[in-house]
Each structure stands twice: as structure tokens, then as C-alpha cells.
Amino acid sequence: MKTIALYSMKGGVGKTAAAVNLSYLAALEGSRTLICDLDPQGACSFYFRIKASKNFNSNKFIKGGGNIVKNIRGTDYSNLDLLPSKLSFRNLDLALDDMKKSGTRLRRIFKEVRHDYDYLFLDCPPGISLIAENVFDAANYILVPLVPTTLSVLTYEKLLGFFKKKGFKRKNLYTFFSMVEIRKNLHREIIDNLSSGDNNFLKTLIPYRSDIEKMGIYREPVPATEPGSPSTRIYTELWNEIKGIMNQK
């Protein structure tokens, strides 16, 4: 099972949209796919129209084992399951902090299902905390959506500094530009400056488009509602680029 995290220190950068669409595309190809909604806001669960059991909470999630298996829900799509979020996930950091080996707990939680799926997608909450450190430890590939603005670049540089300081593997970190408005000079300049000569920047640019925003209305992946749309084509290109990287390793 390959673990792919969609992560950003910033919120509102297209992280959940990417997690939903990429996991859908993986499942559409026949790969057994699980997406885990780690964000207490529960946007990913909302998009898939799934609510967690009343008895499921952050403490049971942290315990892992059977608590994970029995709370996985099937989506409306073949090969695609979801482990939904709960508002109590806002306490995941506190729950982790009380445990031994707290920085590697997430990896151990999903050992229970590692033979059941080809891909595990993690839709991560914004911020940089203990749960983020768990994500960096557990994920084989960390995909960072980056809006080409000054503040987003500043945040990205802080993330790189954190990786270096903590000794996480920079080679596992891949960045793609998100919510791109190519007519803006600032966006073009930042894309050119950052991506030039850095192989960890993906070539696919995710544009700012209304059909991606409307995922919140239709509550479905874009490729499911608009299979012939430019957004579907672009997310497919992104998925193909990611698969190309995975095949090289």
C-alpha cells in the first residue's frame, strides 16, 4: 500500500479537492483505494456524503486496529472507501502527545489495512503539529498544493526549513501549483522562479476554476460530475505525473 498525503500548512489551497479527485481517479483505474479524512472540518467526508459513526472519535482512531476497520465506509464509487473525520479530531495532537512513540503512531495505525488497499490517501488538516509530523513519517509521498502568492511561498519555505530541522526526507515532498490564475503576472513569476531546476515541483498546474469550487454543491469528485471537463483532464494529468514518479522508485 502506497500512502499519499495531501498536506499544506495553509488552509484553502485546494488540498481537499486534490485528495478527493486523485483518490477517485485511482479507484476508477481499479486500484483499491482508501481515503482518510484527518481534518476535523470534515470537508472530504462532506464531499463523499459520508458521516462517521456516533461512537467513533479521536481516541478510537489513535488506538487503531479494529477501530479503523469497522469505521471505514464505502463511497458511491467502486474501489473507493473512506475513513471519515470527526470534530473530535481537533484533539488528535493531544491524544498523540500522551502516547509513546507519538511521532510514528499514524504509520502503525494503518498497518491493519496495508494489505487491503493499493493506495491510502491522507487529507490532512492545515498547520504544523504532531499530527503533521506523523503524516511526514507515514507517507511515501507528500503532495503540497501551493498557491503562487507571496505568503504561500513564505509558508512553503518554512515547511522546507522544518523538514531540514527535523530530518524528514525532502525527497518525499512534491509540490504542485494550485488555484493558478495564469493571467496574473505574480502567479507566472512565482511559478517560473520556484519550479525552475527543482525536480520536486510537479509540472501540472491546477487552475482556479468554478467547476472545482462547485464540488461543494454537487458533493462529488469533478471527474464524476464533469468527466469531459478541462478540470478532469488536468487532475488526470496530475495523477499520471504522480504515478510516473511512483513507478520510478
Side-chain angles (χ1 to χ4, degrees):
M1 182 177 76
K2 292 183 173 65
T3 301
I4 302 170
L6 275 297
Y7 168 82
S8 173
M9 286 174 66
K10 284 176 64 64
V13 298
K15 171 180 55 60
T16 298
V20 168
N21 289 318
L22 293 176
S23 63
Y24 173 84
L25 290 169
L28 190 64
E29 294 176 341
S31 298
R32 301 166 300 165
T33 305
L34 173 65
I35 181 167
C36 173
D37 189 354
L38 287 170
D39 193 333
Q41 297 179 72
C44 181
S45 306
F46 175 82
Y47 281 149
F48 284 112
R49 306 167 187 261
I50 290 175
K51 288 185 177 180
S53 161
K54 290 182 179 178
N55 297 322
F56 189 46
N57 54 43
S58 58
N59 288 329
K60 290 186 176 179
F61 175 80
I62 292 297
K63 288 180 181 176
N67 291 303
I68 299 300
V69 174
K70 71 181 181 183
N71 282 290
I72 289 174
R73 299 287 182 262
T75 69
D76 292 337
Y77 312 104
S78 299
N79 305 311
L80 181 55
D81 293 339
L82 169 74
L83 183 63
S85 170
K86 293 278 282 189
L87 186 59
S88 67
F89 279 20
R90 70 190 188 281
N91 300 319
L92 279 177
D93 279 323
L94 294 174
L96 284 168
D97 198 36
D98 290 337
M99 304 192 79
K100 295 181 179 177
K101 299 181 180 179
S102 59
T104 60
R105 184 63 190 170
L106 193 63
R107 174 157 45 95
R108 286 178 282 139
I109 285 172
F110 285 106
K111 274 188 175 180
E112 186 75 18
V113 297
R114 68 186 185 280
H115 297 304
D116 298 329
Y117 296 98
D118 300 304
Y119 294 111
L120 166 64
F121 285 83
L122 302 175
D123 183 27
C124 307
I128 193 155
S129 59
L130 190 50
I131 188 66
E133 291 187 47
N134 269 264
V135 168
F136 302 154
D137 169 75
N140 304 109
Y141 305 92
I142 302 155
L143 306 181
V144 181
L146 177 63
V147 180
T149 63
T150 304
L151 288 180
S152 292
V153 172
L154 179 63
T155 305
Y156 178 67
E157 291 172 345
K158 288 183 177 179
L159 175 64
L160 295 183
F162 185 80
F163 259 63
K164 185 176 182 180
K165 180 180 178 181
K166 292 286 187 176
F168 291 114
K169 295 177 181 176
R170 170 71 174 83
K171 65 179 183 179
N172 293 344
L173 194 71
Y174 291 89
T175 306
F176 63 93
F177 288 104
S178 177
M179 303 173 74
V180 173
E181 296 182 77
I182 205 66
R183 69 180 185 278
K184 292 184 175 179
N185 289 336
L186 178 63
H187 281 207
R188 293 199 304 272
E189 289 171 4
I190 288 176
I191 291 169
D192 288 344
N193 289 338
L194 285 183
S195 58
S196 178
D198 189 335
N199 293 330
N200 283 57
F201 270 86
L202 304 181
K203 295 178 180 177
T204 307
L205 308 179
I206 303 298
Y208 185 89
R209 287 183 56 86
S210 62
D211 53 352
I212 299 174
E213 278 193 318
K214 288 179 180 177
M215 286 174 62
I217 298 174
Y218 300 122
R219 299 178 70 180
E220 289 188 299
V222 173
T225 53
E226 301 284 349
S229 72
S231 295
T232 293
R233 176 180 56 78
I234 293 167
Y235 276 113
T236 302
E237 289 176 0
L238 180 61
W239 177 231
N240 287 337
E241 193 174 1
I242 295 164
K243 286 191 297 180
I245 292 168
M246 291 190 290
N247 289 337
Q248 290 174 359
K249 292 191 174 182

